[in-house]
Amino acid sequence: MKIAVLGSYSTRYGELWDSRFTDLLAQASCGALADAKIQPSDIDYIVTSSMCSATLNGQLNVGAMAADILRLNVPSIRVEGACASGALAIHTGIAMLEAGKADVVLVNGVEKMTDSSHTITTQSLMAAASYETEYSIGATFPALFALVTRAYMHHHNITREQLAHVSVKNHFHASMNPLSHFHKKFSVADIMNAPMVADPLSVLDCSPVSDGAASLVLATPAFAQKINAQPIYIIASTLATDTLALADRESIITCKATQLAARNAFAMAHLTPKDVDIVEVHDAFSMGEIIALEDCGFFHPGQAAQATVNGDTYFNAKLPVNTSGGLKAKGHPVGASGVGQAVEIIKQLQGRCGLRQIKNASIGLTHSMGGIGATVGVHIFSRE
Amino acid sequence: MKIAVLGSYSTRYGELWDSRFTDLLAQASCGALADAKIQPSDIDYIVTSSMCSATLNGQLNVGAMAADILRLNVPSIRVEGACASGALAIHTGIAMLEAGKADVVLVNGVEKMTDSSHTITTQSLMAAASYETEYSIGATFPALFALVTRAYMHHHNITREQLAHVSVKNHFHASMNPLSHFHKKFSVADIMNAPMVADPLSVLDCSPVSDGAASLVLATPAFAQKINAQPIYIIASTLATDTLALADRESIITCKATQLAARNAFAMAHLTPKDVDIVEVHDAFSMGEIIALEDCGFFHPGQAAQATVNGDTYFNAKLPVNTSGGLKAKGHPVGASGVGQAVEIIKQLQGRCGLRQIKNASIGLTHSMGGIGATVGVHIFSRE
């Protein structure tokens, strides 16, 4: 497969008190159109992802809103797969192009999370888990991911200190990203001494609640050629699922859906993990980055933490991971995050990332997870 | 286009106190698989629609749930476009087949609405409208549709009594559908004397809050041939959008999104409204049926009400409309309704509708609306 990315845009992530849900969606979609140098009338189809718009913003039918913002009457749908919603939107947008339903598709991810109480936000996020066996008995995602983290640390003999290096790196990257929710650098000691959320995860192991939006303009290669664009290409797009409830898994220290989606993506792109120059993975919790890197095949099981300690995943090292700052430090507006990851990879492949720009990037990969691994999307991007 | 429907299933609609959200989804998806005579392992992709699962059931990530029920790890996404969600799911499932991402797609629609308070249900449904200009100032859908109804009655000089015939017919049809929420027949006087909800709409002009689910198994024609199936075909699938807020419309007595979606569907199918033998349209409110029939091109503007009075839209008349009982009387489990409409058309084309079976049906059409016309989906089905 080969799909052209004509334009990409991410709003700033953070507590954006002066921006409504609609404002964020408008800013991202218009930003991507401007970047693509096309008009709204060029858009044939819109796919928008949002996770919590009903519970946090009283707003469904966000597809119609996205078309309305651009004064269009085109087909416009919303897709949702919890925190992987953004990846689902890209995947579905690609399908509309491949199905011949469109030449140009606008893909949006948007979330406005900070206008609600902590209780409502926590409840909204827990809807990504199993209501019956997790949400209803009071589990939270930090609690569930703490179980995963403890099990992994025990199985692979990993220390709390090793794990802390994930957040240190991602906050360092975020300090160079003007769009990040956080810009402060932290030490290993800072991470380890931060207030505990769910042992062993401190608040600096957990991604924040953020507002933000991101958009892509996707097109058929034929359309890209017609307008003389110089696109980045998406050369693989895969989804996979696993049990909704953590308790139903064969293993909780690997993610079957990530393994399946990554394996299928590499097969689709005719590439191996060794060919990848830059990665954005779903680090909603620091252990998430470790497990995702292993499940995608970048490191052997049990090796990713030490590689992180060694500095191998910094922006200027062997395999730059989460140069945007990741969900941990760029921020995690849940429905936008998957699209935002793609924006970072695209900008890196285009050489537009300023201080955190990596060298000679040709192939990039994004990995998004919804729930605790129940829904996963993987995309591979190529400069050529 | 030509997509094979291998199987279809609708649960009973109603206040299903003994069925959880998961139960409804499982019953419908397994029912459709059994009807298609295929195994879960034949499914390559799942698309599920639900509108209010987050707000009424505390459950997102319903795509992963749908795969989990069948013990599958396949790509599985949720789509949402308010009460048109079911149509969006069918449309997206078709796109996955046309894009070559699957040979067989399971499409589900599901909603469990009756375990919540009336206030929460009303709030959930209002999320389909514009939060900023409608929901937040206290508008409800009956109120908004009452505005539309009054404007239409005034413009086309239609009486309250004429309008009542829509509900009389749909309740009559529902009396012959064992899956219906309601089975009682009503007279014109019953409709007109029922308690007022929003003048001129009485409670018998408004669709109920229902639980229910419906599923389809879609496949490429090549797969259908391979397993020697005798499918019904989908020969058109279109979506269109209009402004989210009613106040932003050029006209409130027609629906631009319906007009666009219907026109494009007939062009895609190389058919005209005259070729259609049976129709299920979105009669969430009785005036909705009248306007939809006109916007789809079955009647001239202002003519559909009198045609209904004349009996032309009964199951044994010129153009059978909502033989299932429609959303009004079969019921309106919002995320399921669009898929349920398709199930009715498919069963009619297969001659499996018992007492309400129409004669010589070859071509059927479904029309689904999300919000007050902001999102519309139209599908055309063919026996051959």
Side-chain angles (χ1 to χ4, degrees), chain B residues 158-180:
Chain B
I158 298 295
T159 65
R160 178 70 192 80
E161 190 172 343
Q162 287 176 291
L163 189 62
H165 284 264
V166 173
S167 295
V168 171
K169 168 184 67 73
N170 290 346
H171 274 285
F172 174 73
H173 286 160
S175 75
M176 300 184 288
N177 185 354
L179 301 179
S180 288

Side-chain angles (χ1 to χ4, degrees), chain B residues 91-255:
Chain B
H91 183 83
T92 306
I94 289 170
M96 297 308 166
L97 293 167
E98 292 182 326
K101 293 192 184 304
D103 291 322
V104 183
V105 174
L106 175 65
V107 173
N108 305 304
V110 55
E111 211 76 62
K112 173 69 189 172
M113 306 183 75
T114 62
D115 268 350
S116 298
S117 72
H118 291 309
T119 306
I120 290 176
T121 306
T122 298
Q123 288 175 344
S124 293
L125 292 170
M126 270 313 287
S130 162
Y131 181 83
E132 290 176 5
T133 66
E134 293 171 336
Y135 181 153
S136 68
I137 57 160
T140 62
F141 273 105
L144 291 171
F145 234 103
L147 290 174
V148 170
T149 303
R150 274 279 174 232
Y152 182 100
M153 288 169 67
H154 176 74
H155 185 84
H156 288 301
N157 200 22
I158 298 295
T159 65
R160 178 70 192 80
E161 190 172 343
Q162 287 176 291
L163 189 62
H165 284 264
V166 173
S167 295
V168 171
K169 168 184 67 73
N170 290 346
H171 274 285
F172 174 73
H173 286 160
S175 75
M176 300 184 288
N177 185 354
L179 301 179
S180 288
H181 192 149
F182 302 119
H183 299 279
K184 192 177 166 188
K185 292 176 228 174
F186 292 99
S187 68
V188 168
D190 290 333
I191 310 292
M192 294 181 70
N193 296 326
M196 193 61 78
V197 175
D199 190 1
L201 302 174
S202 80
V203 71
L204 288 174
D205 288 292
C206 305
S207 55
V209 168
S210 312
D211 306 326
S215 297
L216 305 179
V217 176
L218 307 182
T220 59
F223 183 91
Q225 196 168 25
K226 200 178 80 178
I227 64 164
N228 291 316
Q230 292 188 301
I232 299 297
Y233 293 100
I234 304 178
I235 57 172
S237 172
T238 56
L239 305 179
T241 50
D242 201 351
T243 65
L244 196 56
L246 192 63
D248 291 334
R249 303 280 166 82
E250 292 165 29
S251 164
I252 66 167
I253 63 169
T254 60
C255 176

Side-chain angles (χ1 to χ4, degrees), chain A residues 124-162:
Chain A
S124 293
L125 293 171
M126 270 313 287
S130 162
Y131 180 83
E132 291 175 5
T133 65
E134 293 171 337
Y135 181 152
S136 68
I137 57 159
T140 62
F141 272 104
L144 291 171
F145 235 104
L147 291 175
V148 169
T149 303
R150 274 278 172 232
Y152 182 99
M153 287 168 69
H154 176 75
H155 185 84
H156 287 302
N157 201 22
I158 298 295
T159 65
R160 178 71 192 83
E161 188 172 345
Q162 286 176 292

